[in-house]
């Protein structure tokens, strides 16, 4: 039987050559996942494809009469000083409606599909006012600075103003200019017994249907309402110093609160307990100090290349935003036009973008007074912010990896010489027709609506979206 056995020496040797699979991209269909580097490459291409496709000036009417913002814009045309501009923009969860408020006192809800279709009619086309879902106009004295959709009830919009100490909640299904609910802060008296006036600079709501609303005031206190318990705050989040809070964000766990403001400090509160728990306090003295307070200026000074070029001082923070695709990234925007990212896990600044100051090219200094409100794109780690010195927006690549041109460890020479990096990762400036005060990104397709200093709305879309729409119209 041994003659039928194959000797070990005669067995075929195993091949050491690796089989190269030419179907690299088809693995995406098999695994259903994109490589991080490939996703970054796609997002960079998207960032370079934006352009303005529509502009809608706020020359609207109510009962055949110009609305209050319309009248303010007429005054501006005759060089009369007036408070103006779109103060707040926000998409609902599905991107069907977008709410906007003006500093003059108008609250509007647009149907975004209608807005987009009308932007394709041609440049300078006026908006069909019959398509407006809601348009409320209020007399002088009632202005708005912020508008936010309630994530757990998409019929509700919450508005605040730095001139008033109330949170106004509107139910757009009622089509009534009167708010359905008014949340009031507790009265604070001065030494001589006079009421201290404090406005509310921002508003945020939890997404887990527990009816909590957060709003910071201009004196450094964050008021927390539980709507099931009444119209007065149930707790107040305080700071250990006077710091006017400009912006507030709720983390994805609905328990961690971020607040930032005038002193260039990002405060962090944990509602489950911080330095002191509110569970053992009386309702008359329910306040909670921050779990941590992070100073941005010392963090920026640790960036050697940045410290060598400029003198870094504490600066006012205009806005903070949690990245929806990478929640550990907290973007910030400063009053001098700088933007960056704070890694909340490492408590360090990982990205920074420093455009030239407005005075360098002789720009109007009035732009410095605008409280700019940027926005993240929904799934690409791209940050969109209005320019302080030019008419347009910066589309910033804040990808978590060091391939991002804004990353503090980015090596330009290495990235240029890498042959495998086929995509040129860079930031993009999109020129627009007006100065931008705030941006809102569509939660599904990444299109952008920008509010301007002249109370206009600009629709900004990817180039392939606009070209495909033109092709479809041609075929029809």
């Amino acid at each position: 039987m041994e003659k039928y056995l194959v000797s070990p020496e005669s067995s075929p040797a195993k091949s050491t050559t690796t089989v190269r699979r030419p179907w690299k991209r088809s693995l995406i269909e098999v695994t259903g996942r994109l490589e991080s580097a490939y996703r970054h490459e796609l997002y960079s291409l998207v960032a370079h494809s934006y352009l303005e496709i529509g502009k809608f000036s706020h020359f609207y009417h109510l009962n055949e009469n110009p609305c209050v913002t319309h009248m303010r814009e007429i005054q501006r045309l005759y060089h009369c000083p007036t408070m103006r501009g779109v103060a707040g923009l926000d998409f609902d969860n599905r991107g069907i409606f977008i709410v906007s408020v003006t500093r003059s006192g108008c609250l509007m809800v647009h149907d975004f599909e209608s807005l987009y279709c009308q932007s394709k009619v041609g440049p300078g086309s006026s908006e069909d006012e019959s398509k407006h879902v809601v348009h409320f106009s209020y007399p002088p004295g009632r202005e708005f600075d912020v508008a936010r959709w309630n994530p757990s009830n998409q019929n509700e919009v919450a508005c605040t103003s730095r001139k008033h100490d109330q949170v106004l909640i509107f139910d757009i299904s009622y089509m009534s200019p009167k708010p359905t609910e008014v949340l009031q802060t507790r009265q604070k008296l001065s030494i001589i017994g006079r009421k201290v006036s404090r406005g509310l600079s921002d508003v945020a709501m939890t997404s887990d249907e527990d009816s909590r609303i957060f709003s910071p005031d201009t004196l450094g206190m964050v008021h927390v309402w539980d709507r099931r318990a009444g119209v007065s705050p149930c707790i107040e989040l305080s700071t250990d110093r006077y710091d006017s809070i400009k912006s507030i964000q709720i983390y994805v766990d609905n328990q961690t609160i971020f607040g930032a403001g005038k002193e260039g400090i990002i405060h962090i509160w944990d509602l489950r307990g911080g330095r002191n728990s509110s569970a053992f306090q009386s309702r008359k003295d329910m306040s909670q100090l921050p779990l941590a307070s992070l100073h941005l200026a010392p963090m920026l000074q640790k960036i050697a290349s940045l410290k060598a070029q400029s003198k870094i001082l504490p600066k006012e923070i205009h806005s903070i935003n949690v990245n929806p695709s990478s929640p550990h990234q907290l973007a910030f925007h400063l009053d001098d036009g700088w933007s960056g990212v704070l890694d909340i896990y490492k408590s360090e600044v990982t990205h920074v973008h420093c455009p030239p100051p407005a005075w360098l090219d002789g720009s109007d200094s009035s732009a410095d007074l605008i409280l700019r409100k940027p926005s993240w794109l929904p799934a690409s780690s791209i940050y969109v912010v209005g320019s302080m010195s030019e008419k347009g927006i910066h589309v910033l690549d804040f990808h978590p990896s060091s391939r991002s041109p804004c990353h503090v460890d980015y090596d330009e020479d290495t990235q240029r010489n890498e042959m495998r990096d086929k995509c040129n990762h860079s930031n993009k400036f999109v020129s627009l027709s007006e100065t931008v005060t705030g941006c809102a990104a569509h939660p599904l397709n990444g299109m952008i609506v920008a509010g301007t200093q002249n109370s206009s709305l600009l629709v900004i879309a990817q180039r392939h979206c606009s070209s495909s729409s033109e092709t479809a119209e041609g075929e029809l």
Side-chain angles (χ1 to χ4, degrees):
M1 296 295 295
E2 294 181 357
K3 65 180 181 179
Y4 294 104
L5 298 178
V6 180
S7 61
E9 292 79 5
S10 61
S11 60
K14 294 183 178 180
S15 175
T16 58
T17 59
T18 59
V19 179
R20 300 187 65 182
R21 297 176 178 176
W23 52 88
K24 177 181 177 182
R25 295 310 178 204
S26 66
L27 289 178
I28 299 172
E29 300 177 2
V30 175
T31 63
R33 300 181 62 183
L34 297 174
E35 299 176 0
S36 177
Y38 183 53
R39 286 201 309 268
H40 189 199
E41 180 179 337
L42 294 179
Y43 297 151
S44 299
L45 296 175
V46 171
H48 285 73
S49 66
Y50 281 105
L51 75 163
E52 179 182 341
I53 63 171
K55 171 185 172 182
F56 301 98
S57 300
H58 196 115
F59 293 124
Y60 304 134
H61 299 77
L62 284 175
N63 300 323
E64 300 182 355
N65 295 318
C67 68
V68 61
T69 304
H70 188 164
M71 296 301 296
R72 294 288 177 90
E73 288 302 305
I74 293 176
Q75 294 175 13
R76 179 186 62 83
L77 295 177
Y78 289 96
H79 307 287
C80 297
T82 179
M83 176 179 54
R84 55 194 174 90
V86 174
L89 285 170
D90 195 29
F91 273 102
D92 68 346
N93 290 342
R94 296 181 295 172
I96 298 176
F97 300 117
I98 180 170
V99 61
S100 67
V101 290
T102 67
R103 292 182 176 89
S104 304
C106 277
L107 186 153
M108 298 189 64
V109 176
H110 303 262
D111 184 299
F112 177 71
E113 183 177 359
S114 174
L115 200 67
Y116 174 72
C117 292
Q118 291 178 69
S119 67
K120 303 305 299 176
V121 174
S125 59
S126 59
E127 185 179 359
D128 185 359
E129 298 185 32
S130 63
K131 301 290 186 178
H132 293 165
V133 181
V134 165
H135 185 186
F136 301 145
S137 182
Y138 297 90
R142 169 55 67 190
E143 62 183 71
F144 297 107
D145 288 297
V146 181
R148 295 273 188 260
W149 289 97
N150 185 349
S152 59
N153 182 358
Q154 293 288 274
N155 286 331
E156 290 185 340
V157 175
C159 301
T160 61
S161 169
R162 291 193 295 271
K163 300 294 184 181
H164 303 279
D165 59 354
Q166 299 173 333
V167 178
L168 305 181
I169 300 177
F170 297 88
D171 192 322
I172 63 171
S173 63
Y174 290 168
M175 305 295 290
S176 172
K178 293 183 179 181
T180 55
E181 191 171 3
V182 178
L183 305 180
Q184 183 77 45
T185 61
R186 291 195 181 95
Q187 292 188 2
K188 184 176 181 180
L189 302 179
S190 63
I191 299 177
I192 60 176
R194 184 174 298 175
K195 181 181 177 181
V196 177
S197 62
R198 48 184 177 182
L200 301 177
S201 53
D202 201 357
V203 65
M205 290 161 281
T206 54
S207 57
D208 55 358
E209 299 184 0
D210 66 352
S211 302
R212 284 181 297 177
I213 296 181
F214 302 79
S215 185
D217 64 26
T218 54
L219 299 182
M221 192 77 69
V222 178
H223 305 270
V224 184
W225 289 269
D226 188 335
R227 297 172 63 184
R228 297 166 297 186
V231 297
S232 297
C234 60
I235 188 175
E236 292 178 342
L237 309 179
S238 60
T239 60
D240 53 2
R241 57 190 295 165
Y242 174 77
D243 187 8
S244 178
I245 304 296
K246 301 289 185 181
S247 180
I248 190 172
Q249 283 282 289
I250 302 176
Y251 193 58
V252 292
D253 60 0
N254 287 303
Q255 299 293 336
T256 308
I257 310 300
F258 298 94
K262 192 172 183 180
E263 299 297 323
I265 305 172
I266 296 178
H267 304 280
I268 306 174
W269 294 272
D270 192 333
L271 300 180
R272 295 161 293 196
R275 293 185 182 177
N276 55 344
S277 175
S278 60
F280 302 98
Q281 302 180 36
S282 65
R283 290 193 62 86
K284 294 183 179 179
D285 190 27
M286 268 192 167
S287 63
Q288 184 172 321
L289 291 173
L291 180 67
S293 296
L294 307 178
H295 296 249
L296 276 184
M299 296 181 184
L300 293 173
Q301 290 175 356
K302 294 180 181 179
I303 305 174
S305 58
L306 189 61
K307 184 178 180 180
Q309 299 180 36
S310 59
K311 184 178 181 181
I312 300 175
L313 299 172
K315 303 168 187 175
E316 179 179 337
I317 301 175
H318 276 191
S319 178
I320 54 175
N321 302 86
V322 175
N323 185 354
S325 58
S326 298
H328 69 281
Q329 287 188 307
L330 182 69
F332 58 85
H333 182 68
L334 307 180
D335 64 347
D336 60 354
W338 289 18
S339 302
V341 170
L342 173 69
D343 189 322
I344 62 176
Y345 293 163
K346 302 178 181 178
S347 296
E348 62 182 22
V349 175
T350 58
H351 299 69
V352 65
H353 174 255
C354 308
W359 53 264
L360 195 62
D361 57 358
S363 299
D364 186 7
S365 60
S366 63
D368 298 345
L369 304 177
I370 299 175
L371 195 63
R372 291 173 299 278
K373 298 175 181 178
S375 176
W376 285 100
L377 294 190
S380 57
S381 293
I382 292 177
Y383 193 58
V384 182
V385 57
S387 173
M388 188 177 69
S389 58
E390 300 179 78
K391 295 180 179 180
I393 56 174
H394 295 284
V395 183
L396 306 178
D397 182 352
F398 280 167
H399 192 270
S401 71
S402 59
R403 293 188 300 270
S404 165
C406 295
H407 200 280
V408 296
D409 296 328
Y410 178 77
D411 189 343
E412 186 175 358
D413 295 332
T414 303
Q415 293 295 330
R416 186 186 298 115
N417 295 330
E418 278 188 348
M419 297 300 295
R420 66 176 179 271
D421 191 5
K422 300 179 181 180
C423 181
N424 181 23
H425 302 297
S426 61
N427 300 317
K428 170 71 173 178
F429 179 78
V430 181
S431 297
L432 302 176
S433 56
E434 295 184 9
T435 302
V436 173
T437 57
C439 302
H442 194 281
L444 300 180
N445 58 33
M447 295 176 64
I448 302 169
V449 175
T452 73
Q453 193 175 3
N454 297 337
S455 301
S456 301
L457 292 183
L458 308 180
V459 180
I460 306 164
Q462 299 92 335
R463 187 171 289 107
H464 66 85
C465 290
S466 59
S467 61
S468 61
S469 299
E470 291 173 357
T471 303
E473 289 176 0
E475 294 176 353
L476 293 175

